[in-house]
Amino acid sequence: MAMAVAVAVLIVGSVLFHLLSPWHSTPLASNWSSIDNAVTVTFWVTGAVFVAINSFMVYALIRYDRRRGGQATYEPENAKLEKRLTLWTTVGIATLLAPGLYAWDKFVTIPDNASIVEAVGQQWEWSFRFPGKDGVLGTADARFVNENNPFGLNPNDPYGKDDVLIEGNTVHLPIGKPIKMVLRSKDVLHDFFVPQFRARMNLVPGLVTYFWFTPTKTGKYEILCAQLCGIGHYTMRGYVIVDDQRTFDAWLKKQPTFAQAVASR
Amino acid sequence: MGILQKLTEKPWLVTDHATAEDSDEVSVSAAPTGLYFYFAVATVLFLIVAVMYLMRMGVGHFGFGLDWRPTPKPWLLWVNTFVLVLSSVTFQQARVAARRDQADRVVTLLLTAGLFAFAFLAGQLIVWHELAARGYFLATNPANSFFYLITTLHGLHLVGGLVAWSYTTIRVWNGVEIAKVRLSVELCAIYWHFLLVVWLAFFCLLLAT
Amino acid sequence: MAYATLAEDLKELHHPKSWVGKYIWSQDHKYIAVQYMMTAVAIGVVALVLSDLMRLQIGFPGSVGFITPEAYYQMITMHGMIMVIYLLTALLLGGFGNFLIPLMLGARDMVFPFVNMLSYWVYLLSVLILVASFFVPGGPTGAGWTLYPPQAILPGTPGRDWGIILMLASLAVFIVAFTMGGLNYVTTVLQARTRGMTLMRMPLSVWGIFVATILALLAFPALFVASIMMMLDRVLGTSFFMPALVSQGQLLGYNGGSPILFQHLFWFFGHPEVYIVALPAFGIVSDLIATHARKNIFGYRMMVWAIVIIGGLSFLVWAHHMYVSGMNPYFGFFFATSTLIIAVPTAIKVYNWVLTLWKGNIHFTVPMLFAIAFIFTFINGGLTGLFLGNVSVDVPLSGTYFVVAHFHMVMGVSPILVIFGAIYHWYPKITGRMWNETLGKIHFWFTFLGTYLIYFPMHYLGLLGMPRRYYEYGHTAFIPDTAHYLNAFITTVALIVGAAQLIFFYNMITSYFYGPKAGGNPWRATTLEWQTPTTPAPHGNWGPNLPVVYRWAYDYSVPGAPEDFIPQNVPAFGTSRNHKT
């Protein structure tokens, strides 16, 4: 009986906790409502299953407690029941999978008009690069990194000359435009994680990774590194400031290009 | 009974047919089963290395493996391969001899097979030496790294086999009845064939890339 | 089946006379099992203490002076690795596998007793190498239990000098030890079953351990290769996993390697590893439920098939740990689908456990309480798996406390609850004595309620977006103060649960000396291990005659039977009989 009561209390408590908890997702600040929807659907379906199976168990625990007497029934299997359960479980799983894959399909399809921004990670700071007027990022490699060229841009690549370099941990982005966030690491794995944007991806040295999103709310958001990257992992913070287009343009104009940065050093 | 039939029987229905059913079970000793399971483990191990080899080479991965420079294959590798084949063949003959209870022949053949195996290992060491002398060190290039890794893993397996081989050979040498060592000889021979197949597969992989 | 060979083995089983021969260099599977259990639990206690220490740092940042960021990352790494490999894998397969397989199948011992003994000693060596890393300069590695390169072997990570080398060496040695043990378990299951013990008459415990062992045999090679390659990268400067990179301003000599290759290898091992731990727990809990509900396990055949299917599928889902790793994103479609498919057989197992309780005659013994607690906890942990397996749902949750809560619920707490249940269940068989029930129940309530209070709220911190593996959060705009209060609460509960384990140890130790004699079959169970002629079972288990099996493992409450259980070695009609070997 104590066990049945305990399980019952935990079921009710879990549901109440979910409904009353002040700790829910941060307000969405990007286009990824499809991800949020998939999360919500999953919560509903799994929540219902959680309550249903456990309530059934509570009932069984009370009803078939040996102190109520009675003998156990001898029933090796019930093929019909098992088939039915399998079928309904499969249906439930498909219900979950569909919105998940739908959102993923969007996630892997970069819109044609997405503008490119690069985030560069190193232990334990962020820097950023815009492609400049030509809209193309110059090539880069760890072997080019030195004091005068912290981004490791290829000095012979003409596409790199007009790239706009943002040192320091803060980047501005324009609202309402799809951004293809290109990610590069100079040393170890990192992860570009802004909880409010939902979308994110690892930075992998030796590879260029990417993901996309459209900022939909102005404001200042924290970037947290979410892939263990050494002792300073927890201090690896950056900021994304989402501006309206005019403020953003004004800000970008003030930032140095690669050519200017080389000249000034 | 087939495995599917076994796994679909309703165990609560069958009572007391144990004795009848057992008669059609083949009584096998445990050691071969254990060895075959080990082959499964080793196969997975070597397969993983082979897959890593191809992935690191950049097969199917655009922009990867640009630094890959194939390791040269000294002609000695062909000799080593041939020696390993000889070792395996001799083991097979020892196995046949053991089945026919020809004790003297078993000793000679076991010693010869072991000698070939040692020759193979020595040959592999010479190959390493030669490659190192020509500047192909372990860390010079990923292809070299894999070459050394693969030959080491294979060589260590052979060394492990040689431990079993020496145990068996000493027993035969000391005049233990053939009936008592027959299983050991069989298992050694099978193990040698397995290692030969593994080596041939890797040799083909090395030659092909 | 090789009972004739076994009879021969009996003559060859040597019965050591000396204390050292009997307890230390023992080749008796039961002693080896206890050695495995004790070692695993001992190193597990270390991991438990580490977890309480790091919880102190999370709940009350800076309250413990010696927990620097270095120490914190070393603690999380060692906690994770010890719990997953050296405790859970070793305890479930090395401990319970060793104890249960021969006894449940009516064998005298494992088929290769010497290799079995060797397996334990090599395992002990791997544990010692691991422990040694606490005492080397620089301390143990702090790379996280996943040991992802390049970070794991670069400066900027604690234990980069010696810790990581010892960790990789210890893993390789562990895998050698496990392979020796594992070959023994599978061969014993296939070759040493007693007369009448067909595959489908095996108890589900054996099925779970058997399939898990096959998984482990085939999955560990991936970790072995990964360890060796990373060791070469670290020590000899090869570039298997290391691309060209600038570490703290220094261009290193690495070139062209791929960190993602390591992740594929790691998770090709790592995901089956989840089932290596889960399947024995699934099997054991099925037997606990059936025995203490006095009812046959519902849908035995489906349970067996589900174990086999889950085992097979577990090799096709590894990359669901890598959705945001930067691998080809199109893999996500395949791995999300395969991952959610595996939920179907898993769900069937849950239904069948609950349906076994249904119309049962439930005895609320301590093992049964743990079994029910397992069902509840596992349902919770399994359902949150549907979030993380479902690719796009995983994206915002990956790397947050949601993940931490999920995997602790599903492969931390769940198997641990089964392990406790199993220890309480088989303790009388291992020692011949019964433990104190009141203490057992107190221990149960602290453990069950406590762990749920720790991990259920933790999901919501993850949902909020708090990343895991943070030494401290400082000021972060989106994290409200209440989240820190919740963390302090979780830590408090964790400390209480940690301390409550002392009750368990006290109970086990005092019962060993002062507990009442338990008798041979205190739970009135059907399976063979309860039918040994003496308790604890002697070397060789069965005296002169091997048991003969006439029925499946779940003849509880058979209509018309004189009692509510019929042991497996009771013939269709009449009394128990043995056959001469």
Side-chain angles (χ1 to χ4, degrees):
Chain A
M1 195 63 191
M3 191 64 200
V5 172
V7 175
V9 168
L10 288 181
I11 299 171
V12 176
S14 302
V15 172
L16 286 179
F17 186 95
H18 179 78
L19 296 176
L20 304 176
S21 158
W23 307 291
H24 272 285
S25 303
T26 46
L28 181 68
S30 79
N31 60 314
W32 285 114
S33 54
S34 51
I35 289 183
D36 274 12
N37 291 341
V39 174
T40 312
V41 170
T42 315
F43 259 118
W44 280 106
V45 175
T46 55
V49 173
F50 173 80
V51 172
I53 303 182
N54 283 315
S55 305
F56 181 76
M57 184 166 81
V58 170
Y59 175 68
L61 291 180
I62 297 171
R63 174 67 185 75
Y64 300 102
D65 189 330
R66 85 170 160 136
R67 276 160 290 198
R68 294 174 70 114
Q71 220 202 352
T73 314
Y74 187 77
E75 189 187 21
E77 68 178 21
N78 180 338
K80 206 166 137 196
L81 175 63
E82 287 175 83
K83 268 180 206 151
R84 213 175 284 169
L85 285 172
T86 311
L87 181 72
W88 284 109
T89 309
T90 313
V91 171
I93 294 292
T95 317
L96 295 179
L97 193 57
L101 293 186
Y102 171 75
W104 189 247
D105 185 47
K106 282 194 184 176
F107 192 88
V108 298
T109 316
I110 313 278
D112 295 335
N113 62 341
S115 41
I116 292 173
V117 182
E118 183 190 58
V120 182
Q122 75 175 74
Q123 289 173 327
W124 291 284
E125 57 195 48
W126 297 95
S127 46
F128 305 89
R129 179 160 66 121
F130 288 84
K133 292 206 175 59
D134 60 5
V136 180
L137 288 170
T139 51
D141 194 296
R143 274 160 289 215
F144 297 123
V145 173
N146 59 43
E147 263 171 50
N148 296 326
N149 185 2
F151 283 77
L153 296 194
N154 181 350
N156 304 319
D157 186 343
Y159 289 116
K161 300 284 184 224
D162 64 343
D163 287 4
V164 180
L165 307 182
I166 320 289
E167 289 187 73
N169 286 316
T170 307
V171 68
H172 291 240
L173 293 176
I175 191 172
K177 281 205 173 153
I179 308 280
K180 179 184 180 183
M181 205 71 181
V182 175
L183 305 169
R184 188 159 62 85
S185 169
K186 288 192 239 172
D187 42 31
V188 302
L189 300 172
H190 301 284
D191 187 281
F192 185 97
F193 180 43
V194 178
Q196 292 89 341
F197 292 161
R198 305 296 187 263
R200 51 99 74 82
M201 191 55 71
N202 275 8
L203 286 66
V204 184
L207 266 187
V208 176
T209 56
Y210 59 87
F211 70 97
W212 78 275
F213 65 99
T214 308
T216 53
K217 265 189 205 166
T218 54
K220 184 175 180 183
Y221 304 100
E222 271 159 312
I223 310 166
L224 294 94
C225 179
Q227 181 65 265
L228 182 54
C229 60
I231 299 172
H233 172 52
Y234 66 102
T235 60
M236 186 168 167
R237 302 290 180 98
Y239 297 93
V240 176
I241 297 175
V242 177
D243 290 329
D244 58 60
Q245 188 71 44
R246 222 154 36 119
T247 326
F248 169 75
D249 289 339
W251 171 80
L252 189 63
K253 209 173 283 174
K254 280 188 258 164
Q255 310 304 321
T257 63
F258 179 48
Q260 288 165 348
V262 172
S264 71
R265 274 182 175 127
Chain B
M1 268 211 293
I3 186 76
L4 273 183
Q5 205 180 343
K6 266 188 198 169
L7 291 181
T8 48
E9 70 178 21
K10 296 181 175 176
W12 54 90
L13 295 181
V14 279
T15 41
D16 212 6
H17 76 180
T19 351
E21 191 225 326
D22 275 341
S23 51
D24 55 39
E25 293 277 343
V26 188
S27 176
V28 212
S29 152
T33 312
L35 186 66
Y36 289 134
F37 265 103
Y38 184 71
F39 287 167
V41 175
T43 307
V44 173
L45 177 80
F46 287 120
L47 266 180
I48 286 170
V49 175
V51 170
M52 285 294 113
Y53 181 95
L54 292 172
M55 284 173 83
R56 183 65 180 79
M57 252 184 84
V59 175
H61 261 67
F62 178 72
F64 259 98
L66 300 175
D67 55 339
W68 186 277
R69 305 279 174 276
T71 312
K73 284 89 192 175
W75 58 270
L76 189 55
L77 277 179
W78 288 95
V79 179
N80 290 350
T81 308
F82 184 64
V83 170
L84 193 63
V85 172
L86 284 181
S87 182
S88 217
V89 168
T90 324
F91 249 116
Q92 183 62 26
Q93 288 175 322
R95 187 183 178 187
V96 173
R99 280 185 199 157
R100 293 180 187 152
D101 272 331
Q102 301 161 323
D104 294 345
R105 234 174 104 69
V106 173
V107 178
T108 328
L109 286 168
L110 278 181
L111 285 174
T112 320
L115 209 64
F116 280 132
F118 277 114
F120 171 81
L121 287 176
Q124 296 288 76
L125 283 175
I126 295 171
V127 170
W128 280 12
H129 205 76
E130 195 178 313
L131 285 176
R134 287 162 63 181
Y136 294 94
F137 298 106
L138 176 77
T140 326
N141 193 273
N144 303 348
S145 311
F146 271 102
F147 181 83
Y148 286 103
L149 179 69
I150 289 166
T151 45
T152 309
L153 278 178
H154 180 262
L156 284 177
H157 274 83
L158 200 59
V159 170
L162 282 170
V163 173
W165 164 84
S166 58
Y167 176 74
T168 312
T169 311
I170 289 170
R171 276 173 38 123
V172 184
W173 183 270
N174 288 342
V176 176
E177 273 177 68
I178 289 296
K180 284 193 177 163
V181 291
R182 192 177 291 141
L183 185 62
S184 308
V185 177
E186 295 259 339
L187 294 180
C188 278
I190 296 169
Y191 186 72
W192 246 255
H193 300 338
F194 173 75
L195 285 188
L196 176 64
V197 171
V198 168
W199 173 250
L200 289 178
F202 271 122
F203 194 43
C204 291
L205 183 68
L206 293 173
L207 289 178
T209 49
Chain C
M1 267 155 265
Y3 35 83
T5 337
L6 280 173
E8 223 169 85
D9 286 349
L10 177 61
K11 285 176 229 148
E12 286 179 12
L13 275 182
H14 69 129
H15 297 280
K17 294 282 183 292
S18 71
W19 187 89
V20 172
K22 190 170 173 195
Y23 294 101
I24 306 298
W25 304 109
S26 177
Q27 297 188 20
D28 182 338
H29 72 101
K30 297 184 291 301
Y31 287 110
I32 295 173
V34 173
Q35 288 172 329
Y36 254 114
M37 287 183 194
M38 300 255 211
T39 312
V41 169
I43 192 71
V45 168
V46 174
L48 178 72
V49 171
L50 290 177
S51 73
D52 275 339
L53 286 173
M54 69 201 190
R55 263 325 304 186
L56 274 173
Q57 171 60 29
I58 303 169
F60 308 100
S63 61
V64 184
F66 66 84
I67 306 184
T68 56
E70 285 89 338
Y72 178 77
Y73 287 121
Q74 290 168 328
M75 284 171 185
I76 61 168
T77 306
M78 298 310 271
H79 165 77
M81 199 58 109
I82 290 174
M83 285 297 193
V84 171
I85 309 264
Y86 300 88
L87 172 71
L88 288 172
T89 308
L91 185 56
L92 283 165
L93 298 179
F96 286 106
N98 251 317
F99 188 78
L100 294 178
I101 291 172
L103 278 173
M104 282 187 153
L105 298 181
R108 298 214 175 269
D109 207 321
M110 288 290 178
V111 288
F112 313 119
F114 180 77
V115 179
N116 204 22
M117 176 190 79
L118 212 56
S119 160
Y120 168 71
W121 289 101
V122 178
Y123 162 65
L124 184 65
L125 176 67
S126 77
V127 172
L128 291 178
I129 296 174
L130 186 81
V131 171
S133 74
F134 283 98
F135 302 101
V136 292
T141 176
W145 89 279
T146 48
L147 303 179
Y148 279 176
Q151 176 252 134
I153 59 176
L154 290 182
T157 295
R160 179 258 176 189
D161 294 321
W162 285 102
I164 186 70
I165 295 178
L166 287 174
M167 171 59 86
L168 295 171
S170 171
L171 285 174
V173 173
F174 178 89
I175 292 164
V176 172
F178 175 79
T179 305
M180 291 194 282
L183 291 174
N184 237 321
Y185 313 152
V186 287
T187 314
T188 305
V189 170
L190 290 180
Q191 297 292 337
R193 302 194 305 279
T194 189
R195 184 190 291 251
M197 181 62 85
T198 59
L199 286 177
M200 293 306 270
R201 280 178 174 176
M202 298 199 304
L204 285 168
S205 296
V206 176
W207 267 110
I209 292 167
F210 175 58
V211 176
T213 306
I214 294 179
L215 294 193
L217 285 173
L218 302 183
F220 271 124
L223 183 64
F224 188 76
V225 172
S227 306
I228 289 183
M229 286 183 172
M230 185 139 80
M231 184 83 100
L232 291 174
D233 279 0
R234 165 67 184 81
V235 181
L236 297 173
T238 54
S239 299
F240 290 110
F241 306 129
M242 303 294 281
L245 53 83
V246 180
S247 171
Q248 308 195 329
Q250 282 269 304
L251 180 67
L252 301 185
Y254 297 114
N255 185 25
S258 163
I260 292 187
L261 274 189
F262 177 87
Q263 298 182 25
H264 279 297
L265 276 182
F266 186 87
W267 291 114
F268 184 80
F269 144 77
H271 198 79
E273 169 64 28
V274 173
Y275 291 99
I276 291 165
V277 171
L279 292 182
F282 288 176
I284 289 171
V285 84
S286 308
D287 286 350
L288 298 190
I289 293 170
T291 307
H292 297 272
R294 315 307 298 159
K295 185 165 172 261
N296 61 75
I297 193 75
F298 184 85
Y300 173 84
R301 297 193 302 163
M302 203 67 132
M303 294 298 254
V304 172
W305 302 337
I307 287 178
V308 174
I309 292 169
I310 292 172
L313 285 177
S314 73
F315 282 103
L316 301 176
V317 299
W318 78 89
H320 69 213
H321 297 266
M322 298 167 61
Y323 289 143
V324 295
S325 71
M327 68 169 182
N328 185 339
Y330 287 93
F331 290 175
F333 292 106
F334 171 79
F335 284 103
T337 310
S338 61
T339 302
L340 265 67
I341 288 174
I342 216 173
V344 176
T346 313
I348 289 168
K349 296 196 75 73
V350 173
Y351 302 148
N352 285 1
W353 290 321
V354 180
L355 287 169
T356 305
L357 296 172
W358 176 250
K359 295 185 181 176
N361 177 17
I362 303 169
H363 291 46
F364 288 94
T365 57
V366 176
M368 186 58 153
L369 292 177
F370 275 105
I372 297 167
F374 161 83
I375 300 179
F376 181 76
T377 310
F378 184 75
I379 289 175
N380 195 301
L383 288 173
T384 51
L386 293 171
F387 289 74
L388 300 174
N390 197 358
V391 65
S392 52
V393 182
D394 174 67
V395 171
L397 298 174
S398 174
T400 68
Y401 269 95
F402 193 93
V403 175
V404 178
H406 159 71
F407 71 69
H408 275 90
M409 208 72 136
V410 81
M411 82 167 294
V413 176
S414 294
I416 292 281
L417 289 171
V418 174
I419 285 171
F420 279 131
I423 290 176
Y424 283 106
H425 185 76
W426 279 293
Y427 186 86
K429 179 53 66 176
I430 297 173
T431 64
R433 289 177 190 269
M434 189 55 90
W435 29 264
N436 180 304
E437 183 162 11
T438 314
L439 288 180
K441 286 197 169 158
I442 295 173
H443 171 231
F444 166 75
W445 287 111
F446 272 112
T447 308
F448 171 47
L449 297 178
T451 47
Y452 196 75
L453 287 179
I454 293 171
Y455 293 111
F456 183 76
M458 200 184 275
H459 290 94
Y460 290 83
L461 296 177
L463 195 60
L464 179 67
M466 285 175 86
R468 64 193 279 216
R469 293 170 165 171
Y470 265 42
Y471 171 69
E472 61 180 20
Y473 289 88
H475 177 75
T476 309
F478 73 87
I479 301 176
D481 282 344
T482 53
H484 300 301
Y485 304 150
L486 181 58
N487 257 330
F489 168 77
I490 291 174
T491 298
T492 313
V493 180
L495 291 172
I496 295 170
V497 172
Q501 304 313 309
L502 290 173
I503 305 171
F504 168 75
F505 290 113
Y506 175 82
N507 194 0
M508 291 296 117
I509 292 168
T510 51
S511 300
Y512 181 74
F513 296 105
Y514 309 112
K517 292 263 187 263
N521 190 1
W523 309 119
R524 300 156 56 76
T526 57
T527 41
L528 283 185
E529 80 274 22
W530 300 103
Q531 323 303 335
T532 54
T534 53
T535 300
H539 195 191
N541 295 343
W542 307 104
N545 300 326
L546 285 177
V548 183
V549 170
Y550 297 95
R551 54 184 72 243
W552 71 326
Y554 299 98
D555 265 345
Y556 289 103
S557 305
V558 181
E563 290 193 89
D564 67 351
F565 72 110
I566 312 177
Q568 284 190 276
N569 59 343
V570 174
F573 304 99
T575 49
S576 166
R577 71 171 191 242
N578 287 330
H579 80 109
K580 283 270 179 222
T581 49

